[in-house]
Amino acid sequence: MNHRNRRGATIATSALIIGGLAVAAAGAPALAASAPDTSALRDAITADGLQTHLDALQDIADANGGTRAAGTPGHLESLEYVEETLAAAGYVTQRQEFEYQRVSYDEASLEQTAPTPTSYALLDDFYPMDYTGDGDVTAAVQAVDINLAGDRASTSGCEAADFAGFTAGSIALIQRGSCDFSVKAANAVAAGAIGVIIFNQGNENPDDDRFGVFGGTLSSADWAGANTPVPVVSTSFDLGEEWATTAGLVLRLNVTTTTTDVTTWNLLADTPTGRADRTVVVGAHLDSVLEGPGINDNGSGTATLMETALQLKNLGIQTENRIRFAFWSGEEDGLLGSSYYVSQLSKSEIKQTSVNLNFDMLASPNGGRFVYDGDGSGFGTTGPNGSNVIEGVFDTYFAAQNLATEPTAFDGRSDYFAFIGAGIPAGGLFSGAEDIKSEDQVALYGGTAGVAFDPCYHKACDTRDNIDPVLFEQLADAAAHATLVFADTQSAVNGTAKGKALGTWSPEFKGNRALR
């Protein structure tokens, strides 16, 4: 999971009282009847109970090479732990198998052979894009419709016409901006490029670094299921500017990859009762990155779902609507499990999905309380009809607890991605990843300014010691509260717009890689 900094803290948002809930956006569809009393459920969810699941996941990772990544024994054992625990509690469990290919980089190098021999460092100077092709190419570099002046607004490479005069057999140097990287790469390949370098745009952007080396994906390209046919890498604005103004520039670009077939499973755990035509899908990804055990990312979301499910059973709570606790796989490789799940839903099943609540990273050690911006008031991008209601439920809950929150954007970085694309209302919580905590955020949440919300994000040190138990319990309580609120509502949350794809949604990311 990956996110950017948030803006606009709030303690209370109430312009409209609906069904006992203060909802942030006027005109939101109503939740029938008064909100259920969730205090018993929240009281039953404790830091010790949550820690029990984190410890189990840590032990599984320790026994399996320090990882719980999809396709590894550590992930399978994690799935079996969740499956056995929830089945024993009375949930109806099922595995949903899917397959994909994971690409790893055996070699990635970039060097200038003329006019001045220079070697460039992987990560610091360049980075291969996801779904890049293999290739070891040496060629002249040709800039394509770039803009190095003023606001550096760029449509470089977005249209075939940008490549008028391009010399086939060259490496295309393209500036980030406006369209998907896959579009830029496809146009370059069509023009005869044997390699592609996309440099950062070089403009100020409050939600994204537009100067340094960045991680990008070509996953929206249509290469008949294959990677791009040429190597494609990203680089910084400074290097792009330097190369664009260097006469006689020749670069050698070498990317060699290995593709591994991965077979893995989503795990679904349903309440045995409740209306299936108003299913509440509560999701968290179960897989970690290959580099570490993933206890905050996303053992914290997994533990929240498990403890909510167990305490609902322990308290004998039977909900009006079916709850489906979904433990996604392949999230760290591009939101693959949740995307597969949604792709398998029929039109009627999409309409019968009331909401998707997404919980990804809830225990960041230097974290905050972030609520997905369903009404668009924080970032200008709204979720499908009903997403504003979800945001309002969370905002109202935190206001009642006198806990400050900030909005976080629907930018495509987590498993709500496919649900939003299908028109299903979505929302959830997040405690921060690699972004740096500001002084203002320290005033809201405590912690340390100038340090990442989670310094161990996507690293081996994301262990059981890498959590804030107080923040974790606060967010887990809020997650349980919202789960019960939507599971007990007696009317459709998304009004009359069920299952209508959000045609205006244009996510900047898919998982932890930029799309454009």
Side-chain angles (χ1 to χ4, degrees):
M1 133 70 103
N2 190 341
H3 282 265
R4 295 292 173 192
N5 238 352
R6 317 301 158 210
R7 59 176 83 125
T10 181
I11 291 283
T13 59
S14 63
L16 182 64
I17 303 297
I18 296 178
L21 299 175
V23 177
L31 295 177
S34 60
D37 182 356
T38 66
S39 59
L41 176 60
R42 290 184 282 112
D43 288 346
I45 293 174
T46 65
D48 288 344
L50 295 165
Q51 187 66 46
T52 296
H53 305 303
L54 298 186
D55 288 341
L57 296 174
Q58 179 73 65
D59 292 345
I60 289 169
D62 290 346
N64 289 281
T67 187
R68 300 183 305 102
T72 68
H75 178 264
L76 179 56
E77 288 189 26
S78 298
L79 183 148
E80 290 170 342
Y81 166 69
V82 178
E83 182 179 50
E84 292 169 5
T85 302
L86 296 188
Y91 285 87
V92 180
T93 63
Q94 60 175 309
R95 298 187 189 188
Q96 184 182 45
E97 180 176 304
F98 64 99
E99 298 176 348
Y100 65 96
Q101 292 185 322
R102 175 184 287 136
V103 177
S104 58
Y105 304 110
D106 300 323
E107 184 174 358
S109 61
L110 181 61
E111 58 184 295
Q112 181 179 156
T113 62
T116 306
T118 307
S119 294
Y120 301 100
L122 179 66
L123 298 180
D124 290 339
D125 296 322
F126 75 100
Y127 195 77
M129 289 206 169
D130 286 2
Y131 301 96
T132 178
D134 286 3
D136 186 351
V137 300
T138 301
V141 176
Q142 188 168 346
V144 177
D145 191 32
I146 63 174
N147 178 17
L148 303 179
D151 62 3
R152 295 168 181 156
S154 169
T155 60
S156 170
C158 292
E159 298 179 357
D162 294 342
F163 292 84
F166 184 81
T167 302
S170 300
I171 294 173
L173 181 64
I174 301 174
Q175 189 173 11
R176 184 181 186 181
S178 297
C179 64
D180 285 3
F181 302 131
S182 60
V183 173
K184 296 173 185 281
N187 286 334
V189 170
I194 61 172
V196 179
I197 300 172
I198 301 177
F199 68 95
N200 219 338
Q201 190 167 353
N203 60 324
E204 294 294 337
N205 187 314
D207 302 315
D208 193 19
D209 175 12
R210 291 293 173 128
F211 286 92
V213 179
F214 59 94
T217 181
L218 305 166
S219 68
S220 59
D222 182 9
W223 305 106
N227 291 355
T228 56
V230 303
V232 183
V233 301
S234 72
T235 191
S236 66
F237 173 78
D238 286 346
L239 274 176
E241 182 180 42
E242 176 186 323
W243 293 338
T245 55
T246 299
L249 178 68
V250 177
L251 293 179
R252 178 186 178 190
L253 172 60
N254 180 19
V255 177
T256 305
T257 64
T258 296
T259 300
T260 303
D261 293 327
V262 175
T263 299
T264 188
W265 303 266
N266 294 322
L267 178 66
L268 310 176
D270 293 350
T271 54
T273 60
R275 291 182 56 166
D277 64 336
R278 289 189 183 139
T279 297
V280 177
V281 177
V282 185
H285 73 88
L286 181 57
D287 61 313
S288 73
V289 293
L290 285 165
E291 292 80 2
I295 299 305
N296 182 34
D297 183 15
N298 183 36
S300 60
T302 297
T304 296
L305 267 61
M306 291 187 70
E307 196 63 8
T308 299
L310 293 174
Q311 296 309 326
L312 282 168
K313 284 294 184 180
N314 289 341
L315 294 168
I317 297 174
Q318 292 193 354
T319 57
E320 176 80 15
N321 306 317
R322 179 173 69 177
I323 305 173
R324 170 164 288 173
F325 293 100
F327 300 86
W328 311 120
S329 186
E331 190 271 357
E332 297 292 6
D333 290 326
L335 314 180
L336 300 178
S338 54
S339 295
Y340 180 78
Y341 172 84
V342 173
S343 76
Q344 300 304 297
L345 296 176
S346 65
K347 289 183 178 179
S348 63
E349 287 171 329
I350 288 174
K351 291 178 182 295
Q352 291 166 3
T353 303
S354 176
V355 296
N356 168 233
L357 303 179
N358 185 68
F359 301 113
D360 189 355
M361 299 181 68
L362 302 186
S364 300
N366 192 40
R369 291 177 291 272
F370 302 112
V371 178
Y372 288 116
D373 183 25
D375 66 2
S377 61
F379 293 86
T381 299
T382 62
N385 189 39
S387 301
N388 54 340
V389 177
I390 301 172
E391 182 186 12
V393 167
F394 283 117
D395 284 347
T396 302
Y397 170 78
F398 283 117
Q401 306 300 312
N402 199 32
L403 294 172
T405 64
E406 295 174 87
T408 185
F410 277 134
D411 52 14
R413 296 177 194 267
S414 194
D415 284 306
Y416 56 77
F417 184 100
F419 290 89
I420 287 180
I424 296 169
L429 302 173
F430 160 66
S431 61
E434 83 280 25
D435 287 321
I436 304 302
K437 178 174 275 190
S438 68
E439 293 283 359
D440 288 343
Q441 288 169 325
V442 170
L444 293 175
Y445 312 121
T448 305
V451 176
F453 293 112
D454 182 356
C456 289
Y457 170 69
H458 281 188
K459 297 178 182 177
C461 57
D462 185 11
T463 66
R464 73 183 93 205
D465 298 322
N466 185 50
I467 67 164
D468 178 340
V470 174
L471 177 65
F472 187 17
E473 189 172 5
Q474 290 173 350
L475 295 187
D477 283 350
H481 168 77
T483 298
L484 185 51
V485 166
F486 288 106
D488 257 359
T489 185
Q490 297 173 15
S491 62
V493 175
N494 49 355
T496 60
K498 293 182 180 180
K500 292 184 179 178
L502 194 66
T504 58
W505 187 53
S506 182
E508 292 288 328
F509 293 80
K510 187 173 184 183
N512 57 15
R513 293 288 186 263
L515 285 167
R516 69 180 64 82

